[in-house]
């Protein structure tokens, strides 16, 4: 079993819709949770970083963590075509240490 | 955010030759650098972790004699793929961090071995 499970998609949504992404993980020792955005043939860029269970908002992005269920989510409101990318969840046991990545979900926002 | 530069962005080499990929932190001193490999439509797989001035720590299943990592300074780490074969063709990405900051990623290097 992989340590981090993420549906690879693709996930296609119309412009303006809410994009909902999620990952599950197996090891309760994981304490830090990140979401990265990766455009084609580029390196990942950090979108959200959370530590505790609950919600964290940053503009159009909301990250949710449910440690009891080992489930993390990312929501993108008012999606734009420029949001089309692959979104990867990443988790780690220590802050900014070795990251375990999910497979990444490809998101396509159509105009 | 901080800038991490990888060079080259893409390289094609013949089977059996060696290829060196550079990872530089341009505006900060990186105490730790990570090297990842990413196959098409798959996630990033950590290959090794390197701290400046010490030997790299390789993940299980990664051949350290094949993937040579050197972290000679606080701003430069290199990955050398020795005796490359077609199955080594992949997207290689580095990331760099300080003790206090997040890990910033380079733009990746696409290696094709023919």
């Amino acid at each position: 079993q992989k340590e981090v499970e993420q549906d690879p998609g693709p996930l296609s949504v119309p412009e303006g819709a809410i994009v909902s992404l999620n990952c599950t993980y197996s090891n309760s020792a994981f304490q830090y949770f990140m979401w990265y955005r990766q455009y084609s043939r580029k390196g990942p860029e950090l979108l959200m970083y959370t530590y505790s269970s609950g919600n964290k908002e940053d503009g159009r992005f909301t990250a949710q963590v449910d440690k009891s269920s080992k489930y993390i989510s990312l929501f993108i409101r008012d999606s734009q075509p420029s949001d089309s990318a692959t979104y990867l969840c990443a988790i780690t046991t220590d802050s900014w240490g070795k990251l375990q990545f999910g497979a990444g979900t490809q998101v396509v926002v159509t105009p | 955010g901080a800038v991490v530069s990888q060079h080259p962005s893409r390289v094609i080499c013949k089977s059996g030759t060696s290829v060196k990929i550079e990872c530089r932190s341009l505006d900060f001193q990186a105490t730790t650098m990570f090297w990842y490999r990413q196959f098409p439509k798959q996630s990033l797989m950590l290959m090794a972790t390197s701290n400046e001035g010490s030997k790299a720590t390789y993940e299980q299943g990664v051949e350290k004699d094949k993937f040579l990592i050197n972290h000679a300074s606080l701003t430069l780490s290199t990955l050398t793929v020795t005796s490359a074969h077609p199955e080594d063709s992949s997207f290689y990405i580095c990331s760099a961090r300080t003790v206090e900051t997040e890990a910033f990623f380079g733009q990746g290097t696409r290696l094709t071995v023919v």
Side-chain angles (χ1 to χ4, degrees), chain B residues 10-96:
Chain B
R10 58 179 63 189
V11 58
I12 300 173
C13 71
K14 290 185 178 180
S15 186
T17 62
S18 295
V19 174
K20 180 184 285 188
I21 302 169
E22 291 187 348
C23 179
R24 293 182 183 271
S25 56
L26 297 186
D27 50 3
F28 68 100
Q29 293 186 322
T31 51
T32 305
M33 288 189 173
F34 303 90
W35 286 96
Y36 295 84
R37 181 164 55 181
Q38 186 178 32
F39 291 107
K41 298 191 183 302
Q42 294 188 26
S43 186
L44 282 75
M45 299 299 298
L46 180 65
M47 299 175 67
T49 302
S50 75
N51 294 296
E52 186 264 339
S54 61
K55 290 184 178 180
T57 301
Y58 290 81
E59 294 299 299
Q60 191 173 10
V62 177
E63 301 174 57
K64 61 181 180 181
D65 293 332
K66 181 169 185 62
F67 299 100
L68 301 178
I69 291 172
N70 183 281
H71 192 165
S73 77
L74 284 171
T75 59
L76 174 65
S77 176
T78 60
L79 167 67
T80 301
V81 182
T82 62
S83 187
H85 291 285
E87 57 266 29
D88 298 324
S89 298
S90 188
F91 194 53
Y92 292 87
I93 307 175
C94 71
S95 70

Side-chain angles (χ1 to χ4, degrees), chain A residues 36-47:
Chain A
Y36 286 84
R37 177 174 63 197
Q38 184 179 23
Y39 291 110
S40 181
R41 297 191 175 91
K42 300 291 184 184
E45 57 177 323
L46 181 67
L47 284 177

Side-chain angles (χ1 to χ4, degrees), chain A residues 38 43 46 96 98 101-102, chain B residues 38 43 59 97 102 105-107:
Chain A
Q38 184 179 23
L46 181 67
W96 305 119
K98 290 169 46 173
F101 281 89
Chain B
Q38 186 178 32
S43 186
E59 294 299 299
R97 58 165 287 200
E102 65 184 85
F105 285 81
Q107 71 271 36

Side-chain angles (χ1 to χ4, degrees), chain A:
Chain A
Q1 181 188 8
K2 293 181 182 178
E3 295 213 80
V4 186
E5 298 279 358
Q6 183 179 9
D7 187 335
L11 177 64
S12 183
V13 300
E15 183 175 357
I18 295 175
V19 176
S20 175
L21 304 164
N22 57 74
C23 290
T24 59
Y25 61 96
S26 56
N27 188 344
S28 57
F30 290 123
Q31 297 290 329
Y32 299 85
F33 310 92
M34 299 85 163
W35 285 95
Y36 286 84
R37 177 174 63 197
Q38 184 179 23
Y39 291 110
S40 181
R41 297 191 175 91
K42 300 291 184 184
E45 57 177 323
L46 181 67
L47 284 177
M48 301 287 282
Y49 167 75
T50 57
Y51 170 71
S52 57
S53 285
N55 293 357
K56 182 177 182 179
E57 278 194 27
D58 184 1
R60 296 185 295 113
F61 298 92
T62 299
Q64 280 186 355
V65 175
D66 183 346
K67 288 187 177 180
S68 63
S69 301
K70 300 188 183 69
Y71 189 89
I72 62 174
S73 302
L74 178 71
F75 300 97
I76 308 174
R77 293 185 297 280
D78 188 24
S79 58
Q80 304 295 311
S82 58
D83 294 327
S84 298
T86 296
Y87 291 80
L88 301 109
C89 62
I91 56 179
T92 181
T93 55
D94 53 50
S95 181
W96 305 119
K98 290 169 46 173
L99 300 177
Q100 298 287 343
F101 281 89
T105 300
Q106 183 185 1
V107 172
V108 179
V109 181
T110 55

